[in-house]
mmCIF file of all heavy atoms in Angstrom:
data_model
loop_
_atom_site.group_PDB
_atom_site.id
_atom_site.type_symbol
_atom_site.label_atom_id
_atom_site.label_comp_id
_atom_site.label_asym_id
_atom_site.label_seq_id
_atom_site.Cartn_x
_atom_site.Cartn_y
_atom_site.Cartn_z
ATOM 1 N N ALA R 7 -0.893 -9.953 -7.596
ATOM 2 C CA ALA R 7 -2.221 -9.739 -8.165
ATOM 3 C C ALA R 7 -3.127 -10.840 -7.657
ATOM 4 O O ALA R 7 -2.824 -12.009 -7.791
ATOM 5 C CB ALA R 7 -2.167 -9.748 -9.694
ATOM 6 N N GLU R 9 -6.810 -10.720 -8.120
ATOM 7 C CA GLU R 9 -7.767 -10.827 -9.222
ATOM 8 C C GLU R 9 -7.836 -9.434 -9.838
ATOM 9 O O GLU R 9 -7.169 -8.517 -9.373
ATOM 10 C CB GLU R 9 -9.147 -11.305 -8.724
ATOM 11 C CG GLU R 9 -9.761 -10.413 -7.697
ATOM 12 C CD GLU R 9 -11.047 -10.981 -7.099
ATOM 13 O OE1 GLU R 9 -11.097 -12.183 -6.786
ATOM 14 O OE2 GLU R 9 -12.006 -10.217 -6.975
ATOM 15 N N GLY R 11 -8.139 -5.903 -10.419
ATOM 16 C CA GLY R 11 -8.364 -4.755 -9.542
ATOM 17 C C GLY R 11 -8.056 -4.992 -8.076
ATOM 18 O O GLY R 11 -8.243 -4.102 -7.246
ATOM 19 N N VAL R 21 11.840 0.771 4.317
ATOM 20 C CA VAL R 21 12.704 1.677 3.562
ATOM 21 C C VAL R 21 13.732 0.895 2.728
ATOM 22 O O VAL R 21 14.140 1.372 1.659
ATOM 23 C CB VAL R 21 13.403 2.682 4.532
ATOM 24 C CG1 VAL R 21 14.422 2.003 5.425
ATOM 25 C CG2 VAL R 21 14.037 3.836 3.749
ATOM 26 N N ASP R 22 14.075 -0.284 3.133
ATOM 27 C CA ASP R 22 15.029 -1.085 2.376
ATOM 28 C C ASP R 22 14.419 -1.799 1.170
ATOM 29 O O ASP R 22 15.118 -2.098 0.219
ATOM 30 C CB ASP R 22 15.673 -2.142 3.296
ATOM 31 C CG ASP R 22 16.518 -1.496 4.379
ATOM 32 O OD1 ASP R 22 17.180 -0.468 4.118
ATOM 33 O OD2 ASP R 22 16.504 -2.028 5.525
ATOM 34 N N GLY R 26 12.740 -1.406 -4.497
ATOM 35 C CA GLY R 26 12.653 -2.546 -5.396
ATOM 36 C C GLY R 26 11.233 -2.909 -5.753
ATOM 37 O O GLY R 26 10.946 -3.469 -6.813
ATOM 38 N N ALA R 33 3.740 0.500 -12.267
ATOM 39 C CA ALA R 33 3.123 -0.048 -13.478
ATOM 40 C C ALA R 33 1.607 -0.213 -13.285
ATOM 41 O O ALA R 33 0.844 0.084 -14.189
ATOM 42 C CB ALA R 33 3.768 -1.388 -13.844
ATOM 43 N N GLY R 38 -4.202 3.585 -14.136
ATOM 44 C CA GLY R 38 -5.467 4.132 -13.665
ATOM 45 C C GLY R 38 -6.383 3.049 -13.167
ATOM 46 O O GLY R 38 -5.969 1.914 -12.889
ATOM 47 N N VAL R 41 -8.380 0.332 -7.653
ATOM 48 C CA VAL R 41 -7.781 -0.892 -7.128
ATOM 49 C C VAL R 41 -7.974 -1.002 -5.632
ATOM 50 O O VAL R 41 -8.106 0.026 -4.936
ATOM 51 C CB VAL R 41 -6.277 -1.025 -7.464
ATOM 52 C CG1 VAL R 41 -6.059 -1.078 -8.969
ATOM 53 C CG2 VAL R 41 -5.470 0.043 -6.832
ATOM 54 N N SER R 44 -4.732 -5.170 -0.324
ATOM 55 C CA SER R 44 -4.737 -5.779 1.000
ATOM 56 C C SER R 44 -3.299 -5.769 1.544
ATOM 57 O O SER R 44 -2.366 -6.120 0.859
ATOM 58 C CB SER R 44 -5.226 -7.218 0.940
ATOM 59 O OG SER R 44 -5.030 -7.834 2.204
ATOM 60 N N GLY R 47 -0.725 -9.413 4.133
ATOM 61 C CA GLY R 47 0.485 -10.230 3.998
ATOM 62 C C GLY R 47 1.766 -9.516 4.403
ATOM 63 O O GLY R 47 2.873 -10.100 4.309
ATOM 64 N N ALA R 51 6.644 -3.518 8.601
ATOM 65 C CA ALA R 51 6.423 -2.270 7.876
ATOM 66 C C ALA R 51 6.993 -1.130 8.682
ATOM 67 O O ALA R 51 7.151 -1.189 9.879
ATOM 68 C CB ALA R 51 4.938 -2.045 7.636
ATOM 69 N N VAL R 73 -7.127 4.244 -5.051
ATOM 70 C CA VAL R 73 -6.603 3.133 -4.275
ATOM 71 C C VAL R 73 -7.370 2.989 -2.970
ATOM 72 O O VAL R 73 -7.517 3.982 -2.243
ATOM 73 C CB VAL R 73 -5.105 3.306 -3.982
ATOM 74 C CG1 VAL R 73 -4.589 2.168 -3.095
ATOM 75 C CG2 VAL R 73 -4.307 3.392 -5.260
ATOM 76 N N LEU R 78 -4.772 -3.064 7.129
ATOM 77 C CA LEU R 78 -3.554 -2.410 7.552
ATOM 78 C C LEU R 78 -2.975 -3.033 8.825
ATOM 79 O O LEU R 78 -3.713 -3.221 9.799
ATOM 80 C CB LEU R 78 -3.824 -0.944 7.844
ATOM 81 C CG LEU R 78 -3.924 0.036 6.666
ATOM 82 C CD1 LEU R 78 -4.332 1.401 7.147
ATOM 83 C CD2 LEU R 78 -2.615 0.093 5.902
ATOM 84 N N VAL R 81 1.029 -1.127 12.980
ATOM 85 C CA VAL R 81 2.069 -0.086 12.887
ATOM 86 C C VAL R 81 1.789 0.894 11.789
ATOM 87 O O VAL R 81 2.006 2.095 11.958
ATOM 88 C CB VAL R 81 3.495 -0.736 12.725
ATOM 89 C CG1 VAL R 81 3.627 -1.409 11.337
ATOM 90 C CG2 VAL R 81 4.584 0.318 12.890
ATOM 91 N N ASP R 90 -1.892 12.212 10.842
ATOM 92 C CA ASP R 90 -3.149 12.760 10.397
ATOM 93 C C ASP R 90 -3.415 12.416 8.915
ATOM 94 O O ASP R 90 -3.853 13.254 8.155
ATOM 95 C CB ASP R 90 -3.202 14.274 10.618
ATOM 96 C CG ASP R 90 -4.620 14.827 10.637
ATOM 97 O OD1 ASP R 90 -5.542 14.044 10.950
ATOM 98 O OD2 ASP R 90 -4.771 16.020 10.367
ATOM 99 N N LEU R 91 -3.107 11.180 8.561
ATOM 100 C CA LEU R 91 -3.274 10.735 7.183
ATOM 101 C C LEU R 91 -4.451 9.780 7.016
ATOM 102 O O LEU R 91 -4.761 9.393 5.875
ATOM 103 C CB LEU R 91 -2.000 10.006 6.715
ATOM 104 C CG LEU R 91 -0.744 10.872 6.613
ATOM 105 C CD1 LEU R 91 0.451 9.990 6.335
ATOM 106 C CD2 LEU R 91 -0.912 11.938 5.553
ATOM 107 N N ASP R 92 -5.098 9.420 8.098
ATOM 108 C CA ASP R 92 -6.240 8.494 7.946
ATOM 109 C C ASP R 92 -7.304 9.159 7.103
ATOM 110 O O ASP R 92 -7.563 10.326 7.185
ATOM 111 C CB ASP R 92 -6.792 8.023 9.312
ATOM 112 C CG ASP R 92 -6.893 9.148 10.317
ATOM 113 O OD1 ASP R 92 -6.136 10.123 10.219
ATOM 114 O OD2 ASP R 92 -7.729 9.058 11.253
ATOM 115 N N GLY R 93 -7.863 8.404 6.210
ATOM 116 C CA GLY R 93 -8.856 8.911 5.291
ATOM 117 C C GLY R 93 -8.297 9.358 3.971
ATOM 118 O O GLY R 93 -9.036 9.594 3.015
ATOM 119 N N ALA R 101 -9.774 -3.772 8.895
ATOM 120 C CA ALA R 101 -10.467 -5.091 8.831
ATOM 121 C C ALA R 101 -10.384 -5.671 7.430
ATOM 122 O O ALA R 101 -10.165 -5.028 6.477
ATOM 123 C CB ALA R 101 -11.913 -4.946 9.227
#
Side-chain angles (χ1 to χ4, degrees):
E9 59 187 44
V21 68
D22 295 323
V41 298
S44 171
V73 176
L78 281 174
V81 67
D90 201 23
L91 296 171
D92 42 335

